[in-house]
Amino acid sequence: MTFDPSIFTDHLGDIGSGFLVTLGTWSSGVVLGLALGMLIAVAQVFGNRFVRAPLRVFIELIRSTPFLVQLFLVYYGGPSFGISLDPIPAGILGLGVYGSVYFAEIFRTGFESVARGQLEAADCLGITRLQCIWRIQVPQMLVMILPALVNMVTVLCKETAVLSIITIPELTMVLTGIGSETFAFVETLLMLCIGYLILVELCSRLGMLLETRVGRFMSRQPR
Amino acid sequence: MFDWPLLQQNAPLLLGALWVTLQVSIAALVFGFVIGIVVGSLRLSPIPLLRRLGGAYIFVFRGIPLLVQLLFIYYFLPRVGLPNVSPTVAAIIGLSLAAGAYIAEIMRGGFLAIPGGQLEAAGLLGMSDAQMLMRIRVPQAVRLTLPALVNEMILLIKASSLVSVVGLADLTRTAQNLAASDYMFVQDYLMLAGFYCLINVPLAYAASLLERSLKERTA
Amino acid sequence: MNSLLIPGGNVAAPTRETTRESLDEPMKTNGDQSPVLTLSQVGKSFGNLRVLKGIDLQVQRSEVVCLIGPSGSGKSTLLRSMAFLEEYDEGEIRIEGQLLGWQDTDKGRRRAPQSQINQVRRNVGMVFQQFNLWPHMTALGNVCEALRRVRKLSADEAKKRGMAMLDKVGLAHKAETYPAQLSGGQQQRVAIARALAMEPHIMLFDEPTSALDPELVGEVLQVMKTLAKEGMTMVVVTHEMGFAAQVADSVIFLDQGEIVARGTPQQIFHNAEQPRLQQFLQNYLDRNAFWQDAKA
């Protein structure tokens, strides 16, 4: 197996833009997923059963179907509902929706982990529901759910590879394209593997750093 | 919006493809389970080098997107002198390797939950390491991790939607082909989603039942 | 009638500070003679179980009332109802004349909106058995949180008042410490400071020393005694009969959701007439009377 580095140096521009597209869709998908997930979790924890039941069905549906199928529904099915999206917005929407249900489940366990008494204390002092969520529940549950959140963020990083199937020019699409152009499939795919490993590893390292930061005050939990 | 005659015409085709999806997923679960036990045991080995090896396996196969793994295997096998591997075999190899990494982590948790005294007792009775693994550790670990293994099956069924990249006509690929010819994207893809739910919703329910009964037994 | 008792939100906010500062002077709206807390025929059920039955109770300004009784007697439920942490389902609880938690509509009684509940109980401070401090905030952060978010004080003002409150419970030097690094007694004192910072007209204590190691009980009781001496209106659910005997103006004995006996500490502890009360006190004495074993 001979290795010719010119395969990569010749396409440095394409690879760079593919990397940026991967980063862009990933981070936008994560932000959208976190926001939607928080909304779903709050609605599930504080909503009545008319809110909770349809959400439950939605969560089950998303969790039971492959990401690729959801992506097809958004991208190819969207126009039938009057939502014609370009590949990149469709991909971000797909990633966000897919991630949101998993984020929501993580947030929900987080909400349930904060002792009831703490909320009663806040209630007695006149602190509102919303203030209570942001000031008391979210900071505390972050410590607990951070590992799960970081894991989900890396999952979404890996799912961005699937976006190549709806022709988003991200890293996988760019490198397989170079592969078919030069017939150096194994080399380009190896490069791709290493690229994703570095991305995922960086992300989880960053997560661990964050965990020690956030967890400092919780050395010993009262209760 | 829905075209019922077309639906009735397409459904049997998807049903046939569902069988392909199931075959590939079940095969991957079985092989992945074997890999998982080996790698999971490596992770708990007293020898640091073996522990590293197990860790590296998990790092690599969990860190790379499955789609990229499948592509790599598809193009890599001919390079190492296996030019005529069928798409089915390539798909099963790809899924199994990835499943092995996840199942290894599950089994490691299961192994760790077994009280150490049991193994000491087995050792004193003269059992070999292999005997201990197969007779004492694996049966208990499987019982403890059954809910997680069922969830892994769900993940595998979903992951198998990517095997079309190596040319296998699974559920997703078949629906794609149908949609490309009849342009009923919403209908075809909703039906596709329905087929996945048909398998995965009961599996998810079974996993939660198993989890509950496990909790009751251990509580 | 209802609208008179529950003032709209527009008059609520500015009056709070001024009413408190003029506490020593006779108040025009309530008058010094009117009770801070009035319960009439309060009842509460969990499913088929009636845990509170027709409770009548008045707490006057600066009065200290102790609720005693066996576990399961409903005393904690009663206290929690006074802050509407439990929804009582019969009767009325009024705080300085305002109905707590409910509003009357054409279709019967409905839960009042949260803003209205908060408005009514803004003068109620609550201290819990489990402290319920927020572990991600320092002692000072715990005390200042509501001052900042609810009273909308500036950071400086909140800090000033927060430090004063911590100083009052003897913990100014622990201001920057997180709850996890405080002893149980210290945590409970921070919790008291947190409630006091809101300048309540009445303080509710739900078994404030029950979760503490015996050697830490004293410091918390000391803070409560000081409060009582300063004229704070207090309702205390407690197992500390010594505290009740020394500090309470009246003691109420609850059993099976009913008030069985009420009176001065002298009447309750020394001239108990009711058999159930006698039995309760005898059990208490037996449990604590290690010196009698030595004699026997």
Side-chain angles (χ1 to χ4, degrees):
Chain A
M1 191 156 95
T2 51
F3 184 74
D4 182 4
S6 71
I7 296 170
F8 301 113
T9 49
D10 288 353
H11 298 87
L12 222 50
D14 292 341
I15 295 173
S17 80
F19 181 69
L20 285 182
V21 172
T22 291
L23 274 188
T25 47
W26 177 28
S27 52
S28 319
V30 165
V31 170
L32 182 63
L34 284 172
L36 282 177
M38 182 53 92
L39 276 180
I40 295 174
V42 169
Q44 270 195 305
V45 174
F46 300 102
N48 60 23
R49 64 202 161 95
F50 297 106
V51 177
R52 283 205 302 259
L55 277 179
R56 197 68 245 167
V57 173
F58 175 72
I59 289 173
E60 278 311 315
L61 283 183
I62 298 290
R63 279 159 63 107
S64 299
T65 52
F67 173 54
L68 181 61
V69 175
Q70 296 159 21
L71 209 53
F72 282 162
L73 270 171
V74 171
Y75 184 57
Y76 295 112
S80 303
F81 298 101
I83 316 165
S84 294
L85 291 175
D86 284 338
I88 289 183
I92 291 171
L93 182 63
L95 266 184
V97 169
Y98 171 77
S100 71
V101 304
Y102 295 93
F103 283 130
E105 287 294 280
I106 297 171
F107 286 135
R108 197 172 58 89
T109 49
F111 275 119
E112 282 162 9
S113 74
V114 177
R116 248 190 84 76
Q118 288 185 34
L119 308 183
E120 287 183 349
D123 205 23
C124 281
L125 292 168
I127 291 171
T128 65
R129 259 293 128 77
L130 210 62
Q131 288 172 329
C132 200
I133 292 174
W134 283 114
R135 299 276 311 162
I136 292 164
Q137 291 184 285
V138 170
Q140 281 188 67
M141 71 193 218
L142 263 188
V143 184
M144 209 194 98
I145 64 176
L146 205 57
L149 282 183
V150 170
N151 180 51
M152 193 57 214
V153 171
T154 63
V155 167
L156 287 183
C157 174
K158 290 182 281 173
E159 295 291 4
T160 58
V162 177
L163 298 180
S164 62
I165 297 179
I166 60 163
T167 67
I168 291 179
E170 45 68 75
L171 213 46
T172 302
M173 173 131 176
V174 168
L175 279 174
T176 49
I178 296 171
S180 56
E181 219 174 89
T182 60
F183 295 102
F185 283 111
V186 176
E187 290 78 4
T188 48
L189 284 169
L190 201 63
M191 187 70 183
L192 193 55
C193 290
I194 293 168
Y196 279 114
L197 281 180
I198 291 172
L199 261 186
V200 167
E201 181 63 8
L202 271 180
C203 179
S204 41
R205 284 281 163 89
L206 216 66
M208 275 191 263
L209 208 71
L210 217 62
E211 271 167 54
T212 48
R213 258 291 161 80
V214 180
R216 213 174 280 161
F217 68 87
M218 293 281 236
S219 51
R220 186 163 53 92
Q221 262 274 34
R223 262 192 271 165
Chain B
M1 196 170 101
F2 285 97
D3 181 347
W4 291 108
L6 192 65
L7 198 79
Q8 283 168 347
Q9 191 188 321
N10 286 346
L13 293 174
L14 282 183
L15 200 64
L18 175 67
W19 179 231
V20 176
T21 287
L22 278 180
Q23 272 178 318
V24 175
S25 308
I26 291 169
L29 186 72
V30 172
F31 292 123
F33 183 69
V34 176
I35 297 173
I37 286 175
V38 174
V39 176
S41 308
L42 286 182
R43 288 279 281 147
L44 297 173
S45 161
I47 303 161
L49 183 70
L50 293 183
R51 276 207 303 274
R52 285 266 179 86
L53 210 63
Y57 182 92
I58 292 171
F59 173 71
V60 168
F61 285 94
R62 282 183 59 165
I64 300 171
L66 182 69
L67 180 69
V68 178
Q69 286 181 44
L70 285 168
L71 285 170
F72 187 83
I73 285 159
Y74 188 62
Y75 289 109
F76 181 72
L77 287 178
R79 278 281 185 94
V80 293
L82 294 166
N84 293 320
V85 172
S86 76
T88 313
V89 173
I92 290 175
I93 293 177
L95 284 176
S96 303
L97 288 173
Y102 290 93
I103 295 177
E105 286 291 80
I106 296 173
M107 294 314 281
R108 190 171 76 102
F111 288 149
L112 283 174
I114 301 170
Q118 286 187 18
L119 302 179
E120 285 176 7
L124 286 174
L125 291 170
M127 285 176 104
S128 69
D129 281 355
Q131 283 173 326
M132 267 196 257
L133 182 69
M134 294 314 293
R135 305 286 312 160
I136 295 173
R137 298 176 72 185
V138 171
Q140 292 193 69
V142 168
R143 207 178 317 159
L144 289 172
T145 58
L146 206 53
L149 288 173
V150 174
N151 277 323
E152 183 57 32
M153 182 67 193
I154 297 174
L155 286 179
L156 268 173
I157 289 173
K158 290 193 285 177
S160 72
S161 65
L162 298 176
V163 297
S164 60
V165 296
V166 296
L168 194 62
D170 74 318
L171 202 50
T172 302
R173 189 40 171 280
T174 307
Q176 244 178 304
N177 291 341
L178 288 175
S181 64
D182 61 25
Y183 295 104
M184 299 294 287
F185 293 108
V186 174
Q187 170 171 326
D188 287 333
Y189 288 139
L190 276 183
M191 186 158 62
L192 172 63
F195 269 98
Y196 278 109
C197 288
L198 204 66
I199 305 296
N200 285 340
V201 169
L203 276 179
Y205 184 67
S208 72
L209 275 189
L210 282 170
E211 196 157 355
R212 207 174 309 154
S213 82
L214 189 72
K215 247 178 213 157
E216 275 163 21
R217 260 185 297 150
T218 49
Chain C
M1 170 180 152
N2 196 38
S3 56
L4 286 174
L5 292 167
I6 301 159
N10 52 338
V11 283
T15 53
R16 164 74 181 118
E17 299 302 313
T18 45
T19 48
R20 182 59 198 165
E21 269 150 30
S22 59
L23 188 65
D24 297 334
E25 303 159 21
M27 258 179 276
K28 279 173 198 143
T29 46
N30 297 321
D32 245 355
Q33 299 310 307
S34 70
V36 182
L37 180 71
T38 314
L39 281 72
S40 49
Q41 289 300 306
V42 170
K44 160 93 187 155
S45 304
F46 288 120
N48 287 329
L49 188 69
R50 279 192 86 199
V51 288
L52 294 178
K53 302 165 198 164
I55 305 285
D56 284 310
L57 176 63
Q58 288 201 338
V59 181
Q60 306 296 331
R61 201 162 294 282
S62 294
E63 190 181 2
V64 176
V65 176
C66 282
L67 297 175
I68 62 170
S71 59
S73 59
K75 55 192 191 306
S76 271
T77 308
L78 180 60
L79 192 84
R80 287 166 57 83
S81 300
M82 296 174 191
F84 210 61
L85 290 175
E86 302 285 353
E87 293 182 13
Y88 59 99
D89 29 47
E90 299 159 41
E92 285 186 347
I93 296 180
R94 286 182 185 276
I95 292 163
E96 296 179 330
Q98 301 181 31
L99 180 63
L100 173 69
W102 300 102
Q103 58 183 8
D104 293 309
T105 65
D106 321 336
K107 293 172 185 166
R109 205 151 81 154
R110 284 268 177 85
R111 197 182 204 276
Q114 195 62 36
S115 57
Q116 188 175 310
I117 295 174
N118 283 343
Q119 206 280 323
V120 175
R121 70 177 169 199
R122 60 185 300 142
N123 296 334
V124 179
M126 178 100 188
V127 174
F128 300 85
Q129 184 178 352
Q130 299 295 339
F131 331 135
N132 293 341
L133 292 181
W134 303 308
H136 59 303
M137 297 179 190
T138 60
L140 185 62
N142 266 278
V143 178
C144 291
E145 182 65 14
L147 294 176
R148 298 271 287 120
R149 310 286 147 192
V150 181
R151 285 297 139 78
K152 313 281 187 204
L153 294 190
S154 72
D156 284 348
E157 274 180 275
K159 192 177 172 191
K160 219 172 100 192
R161 197 192 286 183
M163 283 307 293
M165 290 303 140
L166 282 177
D167 193 40
K168 196 175 171 71
V169 298
L171 286 174
H173 61 294
K174 294 284 188 187
E176 296 306 325
T177 311
Y178 285 101
Q181 275 93 47
L182 295 173
S183 75
Q186 289 169 329
Q187 289 188 50
Q188 192 61 296
R189 282 148 66 197
V190 173
I192 293 173
R194 179 174 67 178
L196 281 180
M198 301 295 277
E199 304 189 309
H201 295 181
I202 180 168
M203 287 279 284
L204 307 176
F205 294 84
D206 187 6
E207 302 196 29
T209 58
S210 295
L212 296 177
D213 291 336
E215 72 271 20
L216 302 176
V217 169
E219 58 186 271
V220 173
L221 292 184
Q222 193 52 52
V223 169
M224 292 168 63
K225 278 180 199 171
T226 312
L227 271 182
K229 233 176 264 167
E230 290 171 0
M232 176 60 76
T233 314
M234 293 161 60
V235 181
V236 186
V237 170
T238 188
H239 292 294
E240 299 291 334
M241 298 306 156
F243 174 83
Q246 275 182 27
V247 182
D249 297 303
S250 60
V251 177
I252 289 173
F253 173 67
L254 242 75
D255 193 19
Q256 294 173 5
E258 294 173 311
I259 294 180
V260 176
R262 66 174 98 202
T264 62
Q266 174 74 23
Q267 288 166 330
I268 294 291
F269 293 124
H270 297 289
N271 304 317
E273 289 162 1
Q274 297 80 358
R276 278 197 270 177
L277 175 57
Q278 286 170 348
Q279 182 63 46
F280 172 75
L281 291 173
Q282 190 57 49
N283 288 345
Y284 181 81
L285 283 175
D286 287 349
R287 207 170 49 236
N288 293 284
F290 48 87
W291 61 89
Q292 284 180 340
D293 289 343
K295 274 186 212 162

